[in-house]
Amino acid sequence: MKKFVSRREILGLIAKAGASGAVLQASNALGIVPDSYVDIPKIPPADPSNRPSVVVLGAGVAGLTAALELKKAGYSVVVLEAAGRAGGRNMTVRHGDLIDEVGNPQICDFDDEPHMYFNAGPARIPSSHRNVLHYCKELGVELEFFINENKETYIQDDAMLDGKPIKNREFTTNARGFMAEIMAKNFTNAELDQPFDQWEVEALMRALRRIGDLDEDMLYKGSIRGGYSHGGFLEHGHALEAVALRDLLKTDLFSMALGQNEGETGPMLFQPVGGMDQIIKGFLRKLPDEVFYNVMVTSVMLQNDGIEVVYEHKGIKYKIEADYCFNSIPTHLMTGIDNNFSADYKEAMAYPRRGEAYKSAFQAKERFWEKDDIFGGISWTNQPIEQIWYPPHGMYKEKGIILSAYNYGGGMHFTQLTQEERIETAIRQGEKVHPNYRNLVEKGITIAWHRMNHMLGCSARWQKSRSGFTQEEERLFQTLRQPAGNRHYTIGDQITKHTAWQESAILSAHWAINDMLTRKSGGAMPGQRV
C-alpha cells in the first residue's frame, strides 16, 4: 500500500531548507571547517648550562612544530625521520621525485618547471586555520589564493542527462529554480492537498536533510557548518546557536546570502606559492642541523628520569637518551615498535584505524580547462575518481598539472589495480567530464596513502559510529593524549578530533608542549583555547 504525504506537510521543511542554506553559505565563507585560536606556547628560556633535551620522532608538520618551538626556547632537539624526506603527508611531487608506495614505487616525469607540481597530500589552507597561517608568515612562506568552488566546473553523473556533464552553475541554478517553483506552485489550497508518492518524498527528504543538516526528526537545531562557538580540534566542537528563520527573513539580503559562492564570491582558501611543501622547507630552514633522515626507530623505552630511543641507520643501531619524546609516528605503526608503555596506553595506541586516501594526477599537454572558462576549482563525478581539480596557479602557461582523482576515505578500488590500470581508469572516467581527455593528458602518477611507506594510512579514524565518540572511545582518546610516564607525548592530527588537517597537527604539538610545561612547573593544566 502506498503512503502519501501532503505537499502542505512538507512546505515547512522546504522553508527550513532555505534557512539552513543561509547558514551553509555563511559557513562556506569560513572554509566549512571549525575555527581555531592562535596559541603559540610560551616556553621559558632554557638554562644554557643545563639544556633540557627532546627527541622528536617524525618530521611531519606536528614534529617540526614541536622541534621549532622547543629549539627557539633553547632546548636541545633531535628529530628522527624514517623517510628520506621531511613533511609526512605534506608532500609536493615534482620532476624526479619518488612516490614511495609499497609495491608501486614511481618516479615523477613531469616537465621540470616551477609551476608543474602536484600536492599529493594537503592542498589547501582554509583562512580560519590561523596557526598554519601564523607559521607561513613566520617562516616566510608566500601564499596565493586557492579556488575550491567554481561554478564554471562540471557535475557529471551517469544517471543524469544520459551521463552528459553539466556546468555547476547550470546545475545549481536549475536546482534552486525548481525548488522555488515547487514552493510557488503550492501556494493554493488545491495544489497543497495533492499527494507526493513515497519515492518522491524519500528523495526529497534525503535532499532536505543534507541541505539543511537536519536531525533524525527532520528538525534544524543548529549545525557545525555554521561554525563552532568553541572546540573542534582537540575537543568536541560546539555549534554556534541557531538563528531563527523569522530573524533571517527580516533582512533584504536573505536571497543574496543563499547565492554566496556563486559568480565572483567564494570561500577564502590559500595555497603556498610553489607547492604545499614550501611550509616544510620553511621549517627546515629554521632546523638546519636537527633533522636526521632514513632513521628507523626500533624501541622507545621510558626511564625514571627520561626516555631512551634506539634507532637504526644504514644497518647500524644507535641509542639516544632525552628528557622528553614527542612522537608523531602513526599509532598503528608504533604498536609494532618495542616499548614499555602501560597496558592502558598500548590499548589506546592500538585503537585508531587508519583512513584510506587516493589521488592521481596528469601533466596536461595544454591548459584545456582555461579554454572552457575554468580557472581553478573542482569538477565532480559519480565515478570512483570522484573529483578533477584544476590548478589555480600557472594561468596562461603552456601546460599544467591536473588532479585526476581524489578519493578520500576510500581508494581500495584503485589499490587493487596495476599502475597501468589506474592510469587507464582515470583517463576513461575523465573522458566523461572532458570528451577529448585522453589526447590532452600524459605522464600520469598515482598515490595510495594507505600503501605509502612509513605511513600505511591517512588520517586516524577514532569513531566507529557516525553518532559520535562512545564513552569507551573517549576514554581511549584521553588516555593516549596524556604523556606516558610524563615523558612521552603522542602528537599529530591522530591525537585530535578533527583529523587530516595541518592545523590539527600543529595544535597537537602546542597542546603537548603546554602540558609538558605545566607538569614541569607542578601546576594544573590551564584551559587551552583551540
Side-chain angles (χ1 to χ4, degrees), residues 365-379:
K365 300 174 184 177
E366 61 179 81
R367 300 175 74 89
F368 59 88
W369 52 90
E370 293 180 354
K371 298 177 182 178
D372 203 12
D373 301 326
I374 298 174
F375 296 89
I378 302 172
S379 285

Side-chain angles (χ1 to χ4, degrees), residues 121-152:
R124 47 198 167 185
I125 304 172
S127 55
S128 58
H129 285 197
R130 297 189 181 102
N131 289 276
V132 178
L133 297 179
H134 163 83
Y135 282 109
C136 287
K137 181 178 180 180
E138 178 179 331
L139 301 172
V141 178
E142 185 179 355
L143 298 173
E144 60 189 1
F145 290 115
F146 177 91
I147 309 301
N148 196 67
E149 183 180 13
N150 180 351
K151 293 299 182 184
E152 292 298 329

Side-chain angles (χ1 to χ4, degrees), residues 40-41 43 51 54 56 58-79 131-132 134-141 279-288 290-291 326 491 506 509-510 513:
I40 307 303
I43 311 173
R51 299 169 64 198
V54 173
V56 177
V61 171
L64 293 175
T65 298
L68 175 62
E69 294 301 335
L70 292 165
K71 179 187 177 182
K72 288 192 298 186
Y75 283 56
S76 174
V77 178
V78 171
V79 183
N131 289 276
V132 178
H134 163 83
Y135 282 109
C136 287
K137 181 178 180 180
E138 178 179 331
L139 301 172
V141 178
I279 296 176
I280 304 303
K281 292 178 180 179
F283 275 110
L284 295 178
R285 285 194 293 269
K286 300 288 186 178
L287 300 164
E290 284 76 19
V291 183
F326 289 78
I491 60 173
I506 290 171
H510 289 176
I513 291 172

Side-chain angles (χ1 to χ4, degrees), residues 194-259:
Q194 292 296 312
F196 271 122
D197 281 340
Q198 180 65 30
W199 73 268
E200 293 177 307
V201 172
E202 291 175 355
L204 184 55
M205 290 299 183
R206 284 195 300 269
L208 288 172
R209 179 170 290 160
R210 291 169 183 167
I211 291 171
D213 200 14
L214 309 181
D215 65 15
E216 294 299 322
D217 296 321
M218 299 300 289
L219 298 176
Y220 179 71
K221 298 180 179 178
S223 169
I224 60 173
R225 296 176 185 172
Y228 288 173
S229 60
H230 61 278
F233 283 94
L234 297 174
E235 297 290 351
H236 290 299
H238 295 265
L240 292 169
E241 185 177 350
V243 180
L245 175 60
R246 68 177 71 91
D247 294 324
L248 292 173
L249 290 173
K250 291 177 181 177
T251 175
D252 291 334
L253 297 175
F254 182 79
S255 59
M256 185 280 293
L258 290 178

Side-chain angles (χ1 to χ4, degrees), residues 30 92 105 156 202 229 302 385 498:
L30 295 176
T92 301
Q156 187 277 328
E202 291 175 355
S229 60
L302 298 170
I385 61 170
H498 195 58

Side-chain angles (χ1 to χ4, degrees), residues 339-382:
N339 64 76
N340 62 347
F341 302 149
S342 69
D344 286 349
Y345 199 83
K346 290 181 179 180
E347 178 191 17
M349 201 163 53
Y351 185 81
R353 296 163 292 127
R354 302 308 296 188
E356 302 169 13
Y358 174 85
K359 282 186 175 183
S360 68
F362 287 115
Q363 174 173 294
K365 300 174 184 177
E366 61 179 81
R367 300 175 74 89
F368 59 88
W369 52 90
E370 293 180 354
K371 298 177 182 178
D372 203 12
D373 301 326
I374 298 174
F375 296 89
I378 302 172
S379 285
W380 293 84
T381 174
N382 71 325

